[in-house]
Amino acid sequence: MPGPLDGLVVLDLSRILAGPTCTQLMGDLGAEVIKIESPGGDDTRTWGPPFALDGEGKPTDLSAYFMSSNRNKKSVALDLTDPEAQKALHDLAGRADVVIENFKPGGLRKYGLDHDTLCAAYPGLVYCSISGFGQTGPNRDKPGYDLMAQGFGGIMSITGEAGKEPMKVGVGVADVVCGLYATVGILAALRHRDATGEGQHIDIALVDATMAWLVNQGLNYLTSGVAPTRAGNAHPNIVPYQVFETSDGYVIVAVGNDSQFARFCDYLGRGEWASDPRFATNGARLAHRDTLVPEIARILAARDTDHVIAGLELRKVPVGPVNTIEQTLESDQAQARDMTVTLPAPQTAKGEVRLLGNPLKFSRTPVSYRSAPPGIGADTEEILARIKSGL
């Protein structure tokens, strides 16, 4: 079945993670995504191990990192310094609905592929620029990487154990969320284009996106004037809402309201806490966190994980395990929701690669998995031939 973006053509001049996350999502939704790479390929092709291996056990150009955000794309390898390549890309932009790039601000101007040039030539074009700090502002010319965005954007200051060094999130979440914001912006601009015929330029920055997803912690500061600090797995506004150690591992307890707390107290054998003025309301529990949490931790540390989960689920208190990635992706839940998919990849020894699935579930226009991440330049001849033929 055709996807919701069937018929759209996306010219993808991005690399690493933020832009490729956006364009992979658009590809999953049915768009034709033409990924332009240098002859050496997207940087992330070398970011391994692990790599998918060929029949001789040697690494291919498909690193796990690259494969995480580059399915449903065609790869065209071109040297942007070549005038013929620049002309081909200009012509391809004229046939595209969307151009997305993540060069430094102004970096594509010397090739005639910047937003001013292409949007003037093709008024209906939606052109999205992703950069570290945006096209304006005092830091516009600084490079942008996920780690730098997490640091500058504030998220590292509240991630990690209290009193210890700031920590990044375990994946490139600044890149990923920026890519998701970019997708939303592009779809909104396409709706405007379809209604008016008018394209536009979208300017999105890793750091801006990171600031935006500070959500309640950002508002905690803006409301109180006090900057939040690191508190490990504890929640700044809810108690108890964190990880606790058990006799054989860890468990997450997420008590979101006072009635859940009363049922939690019943499981703990401390029913009197539900009416104790120090703990009866969330505000009181926040004020007496240092008294309450150690007592909870002491009780749970003597019980095994399965016992805690079963006991709290029985009482309808939110609870869950801390899974490894293996446990997560091999779980019956992941399989039931198609959160891993397998696609043919003839250049690999297995003849296929296993990828993460798309979380969107449509009733009428489902996502599709049409092709595995491509090898460098796998589609160069096809796309250049189409340009020459005017298709």
Side-chain angles (χ1 to χ4, degrees):
M1 294 178 63
L5 299 186
D6 189 55
L8 283 177
V9 177
V10 178
L11 177 57
D12 184 3
L13 300 175
S14 69
R15 67 271 193 211
I16 313 294
L17 188 55
T21 293
C22 169
T23 53
Q24 175 171 272
L25 179 53
M26 295 186 73
D28 287 356
L29 297 177
E32 179 183 17
V33 180
I34 301 171
K35 180 180 179 70
I36 307 302
E37 303 186 67
S38 70
D42 186 309
D43 298 23
T44 62
R45 287 187 183 274
T46 65
W47 288 9
F51 297 90
L53 304 179
D54 65 18
E56 297 179 354
K58 297 178 180 178
T60 66
D61 59 8
L62 300 179
S63 71
Y65 198 117
F66 176 81
M67 290 192 291
S68 72
S69 57
N70 283 288
R71 68 165 166 258
N72 285 335
K73 301 180 185 181
K74 296 178 178 179
S75 172
V76 175
L78 292 174
D79 179 359
L80 291 188
T81 65
D82 181 354
E84 288 298 315
Q86 295 165 20
K87 181 179 183 306
L89 290 177
H90 200 291
D91 291 344
L92 188 53
R95 295 170 171 79
D97 299 280
V98 177
V99 171
I100 182 168
E101 56 90 8
N102 63 348
F103 285 71
K104 290 182 181 179
L108 286 173
R109 187 169 293 117
K110 58 188 174 184
Y111 307 127
L113 299 171
D114 57 296
H115 64 87
D116 285 334
T117 300
L118 292 183
C119 289
Y122 310 113
L125 183 66
V126 171
Y127 190 113
C128 180
S129 296
I130 297 175
S131 60
F133 290 87
Q135 305 294 305
T136 59
N139 294 327
R140 70 183 293 270
D141 294 321
K142 292 185 178 181
Y145 290 93
D146 177 89
L147 181 61
M148 312 296 284
Q150 289 196 41
F152 193 99
I155 191 65
M156 285 180 67
S157 74
I158 56 172
T159 304
E161 294 293 332
K164 297 185 179 180
E165 69 175 2
M167 297 293 291
K168 69 178 181 67
V169 179
V171 296
V173 68
D175 273 331
V176 171
V177 175
C178 185
L180 297 178
Y181 272 115
T183 306
V184 173
I186 289 169
L187 295 180
L190 287 169
R191 178 172 170 78
H192 176 77
R193 191 277 310 267
D194 291 346
T196 67
E198 180 182 57
Q200 61 184 296
H201 180 224
I202 301 167
D203 167 12
I204 183 165
L206 292 179
V207 168
D208 292 353
T210 302
M211 293 181 194
W213 61 262
L214 290 174
V215 287
N216 61 299
Q217 288 282 51
L219 264 293
N220 285 346
Y221 163 71
L222 293 176
T223 302
S224 70
V226 177
T229 57
R230 291 181 294 287
N233 288 311
H235 195 287
N237 305 107
I238 308 172
V239 174
Y241 194 104
Q242 63 188 79
V243 173
F244 289 97
E245 189 170 5
T246 65
S247 63
D248 61 349
Y250 295 90
V251 68
I252 296 168
V253 176
V255 173
N257 57 53
D258 296 338
S259 63
Q260 289 177 358
F261 180 68
R263 298 195 297 275
F264 181 50
C265 293
D266 176 69
Y267 169 74
L268 296 176
R270 295 292 188 274
E272 70 277 10
W273 285 354
S275 57
D276 188 320
R278 297 173 300 167
F279 311 138
T281 66
N282 184 65
R285 292 192 293 277
L286 278 170
H288 296 90
R289 180 200 298 265
D290 292 345
T291 300
L292 177 61
V293 169
E295 284 299 305
I296 295 172
R298 182 181 62 79
I299 296 170
L300 294 182
R303 304 181 186 182
D304 65 60
T305 300
D306 289 344
H307 186 281
V308 176
I309 290 176
L312 293 183
E313 285 183 343
L314 182 65
R315 292 166 175 81
K316 300 189 183 306
V317 176
V319 63
V322 180
N323 285 335
T324 65
I325 290 179
E326 179 183 9
Q327 290 170 326
T328 297
L329 297 182
E330 303 302 342
S331 67
D332 53 2
Q333 178 69 18
Q335 303 316 304
R337 298 288 293 172
D338 296 324
M339 287 312 300
T340 65
V341 296
T342 300
L343 292 176
Q347 70 269 50
T348 68
K350 294 182 178 179
E352 61 186 22
V353 291
R354 194 176 178 204
L355 308 172
L356 297 177
N358 190 303
L360 294 170
K361 315 299 181 188
F362 291 85
S363 64
R364 297 295 297 274
T365 54
V367 301
S368 60
Y369 304 104
R370 302 181 303 283
S371 61
I376 299 173
D379 306 285
T380 304
E381 292 184 7
E382 175 203 339
I383 298 302
L384 293 182
R386 283 170 53 186
I387 295 172
K388 289 180 181 179
S389 65
L391 297 178

